[in-house]
Amino acid sequence: MTSEDRESGATSRRPVEDEVDVVAEETQKTAKDGKDKKKGSFWKELPVLIVVALVLAFIIKTFVVQAFYIPSESMENTLLVNDRVLVNKLVYRVRDIERGDVVVFSGVDSWDSEVQLEEPSNPVTGFFRWVGTAFGVVPGEKDYIKRVIGVPGDTVKCCDVKGRVTVNGVPLEEKDYLYPGDVPSQRSFEVKVPQGRLWVMGDHRSVSLDSRMHMGDPGGGAIPIDKVIGRAFVIVWPFSRAAIIPIPDTFNQPALKAAVAAGEAAPFAAGVAGAVPIVLWRRRRRLARR
């Protein structure tokens, strides 16, 4: 092969190598452009994802389950300061509120807050306060958490000869959930819970600003049922304290249930007793006409 042939062959190969280099550069450029587009797409979609997440959180918070922050000592040792609990907002659509339930309720336009919070200084701070409340990171300004002791129609009294709270004459054994060293109540009281209201008390009775402290308010200290947000059913934070919040056994006493049944039957019995004389009177009139 002559030197001219070699030069001619080398020349013919160069374009192929150049073509390979060009393809490689274009591939790298395409890959880089693809990554840039993905990055750009992510940052464009991020605000939408945040908005969707907040909307879903708002819907869940409003209708299903909401996390709440425990800001005070009023429910110790059942609930401690900084605990987070989940509140079921649907449960009272399928059953009535029961004695022993731990409920969260709004005290807006009624009770003063147990924990004073500073007003947000600007709309941005207010927005983050709302988000924090929705996720149970900060306490709600006027949200309370207490245990239901009496439901509409109950007579709640303290104390009997043994220092116990009674409901419709049935004493409650509260040692399982009362704060160690606390008595059921430092003050005596007797109330009949009005219709549409609940008598609520904290488990740490010596520091709880509960129904007993609001007996001069409308309702005699009992809270409106329509202010109940839901039932606290589980502690979710801290993980070391994660647990279900049960209804104590004392509220399942047969005597208490019998008293409830008797109370429900009383209006019916009174109605029957009132109707009998009327029926007899009408029968006498009919016989007299004949």
Side-chain angles (χ1 to χ4, degrees):
M1 181 181 289
T2 63
S3 60
E4 292 178 358
D5 293 336
R6 292 194 193 99
E7 291 176 1
S8 175
T11 303
S12 63
R13 287 196 297 272
R14 281 173 190 163
V16 176
E17 294 174 355
D18 291 344
E19 185 176 342
V20 171
D21 291 339
V22 170
V23 171
E25 289 177 2
E26 289 180 350
T27 302
Q28 292 174 358
K29 185 177 180 181
T30 302
K32 185 177 179 181
D33 290 344
K35 288 180 180 179
D36 291 341
K37 287 180 180 178
K38 287 181 179 179
K39 289 181 179 178
S41 176
F42 170 77
W43 289 111
K44 288 179 180 178
E45 293 175 357
L46 183 60
V48 177
L49 293 174
I50 292 174
V51 171
V52 170
L54 290 175
V55 169
L56 290 175
F58 176 77
I59 292 173
I60 293 171
K61 165 188 177 297
T62 303
F63 300 106
V64 186
V65 173
Q66 183 176 353
F68 278 88
Y69 173 97
I70 306 302
S72 75
E73 303 170 344
S74 69
M75 282 296 292
E76 290 180 336
N77 280 332
T78 303
L79 301 172
L80 305 182
V81 176
N82 297 325
D83 279 356
R84 273 72 164 179
V85 298
L86 292 184
V87 172
N88 186 334
K89 294 187 169 185
L90 295 178
V91 63
Y92 297 134
R93 295 181 183 273
V94 297
R95 75 163 174 85
D96 292 333
I97 298 174
E98 297 178 1
R99 302 176 193 84
D101 282 350
V102 174
V103 297
V104 171
F105 61 95
S106 172
V108 173
D109 300 326
S110 57
W111 292 12
D112 292 330
S113 179
E114 290 180 321
V115 177
Q116 300 300 321
L117 302 174
E118 294 183 5
E119 290 292 330
S121 57
N122 56 64
V124 175
T125 305
F127 170 76
F128 284 107
R129 164 77 65 81
W130 177 86
V131 173
T133 302
F135 289 95
V137 178
V138 297
E141 183 179 2
K142 284 276 186 123
D143 294 331
Y144 296 82
I145 186 163
K146 305 291 181 189
R147 189 180 298 280
V148 176
I149 303 298
V151 296
D154 282 349
T155 297
V156 184
K157 182 179 178 180
C158 192
C159 299
D160 68 2
V161 293
K162 293 185 178 180
R164 299 171 297 185
V165 171
T166 64
V167 179
N168 301 326
V170 180
L172 300 179
E173 299 295 341
E174 302 187 281
K175 293 180 180 179
D176 290 344
Y177 56 86
L178 277 189
Y179 185 79
D182 268 8
V183 295
S185 180
Q186 300 94 331
R187 61 169 60 187
S188 299
F189 63 89
E190 181 174 357
V191 296
K192 186 175 179 63
V193 184
Q195 291 301 313
R197 290 181 175 266
L198 304 167
W199 184 265
V200 296
M201 299 170 72
D203 290 354
H204 194 169
R205 299 282 164 81
S206 60
V207 301
S208 178
L209 303 179
D210 50 39
S211 288
R212 297 168 299 159
M213 308 302 169
H214 295 272
M215 294 180 68
D217 295 351
I223 65 165
I225 288 178
D226 60 11
K227 292 294 185 180
V228 173
I229 296 169
R231 177 179 178 243
F233 67 98
V234 63
I235 302 170
V236 293
W237 183 263
F239 290 136
S240 59
R241 284 183 40 77
I244 300 295
I245 304 173
I247 296 178
D249 290 338
T250 190
F251 293 99
N252 295 320
Q253 295 180 74
L256 184 56
K257 293 184 177 181
V260 175
E264 292 174 347
F268 176 76
V272 171
V276 168
I278 296 174
V279 172
L280 293 175
W281 176 74
R282 291 185 64 184
R283 287 187 64 185
R284 287 176 183 175
R285 286 194 61 185
R286 287 177 185 174
L287 291 173
R289 288 175 183 176
R290 291 178 184 176

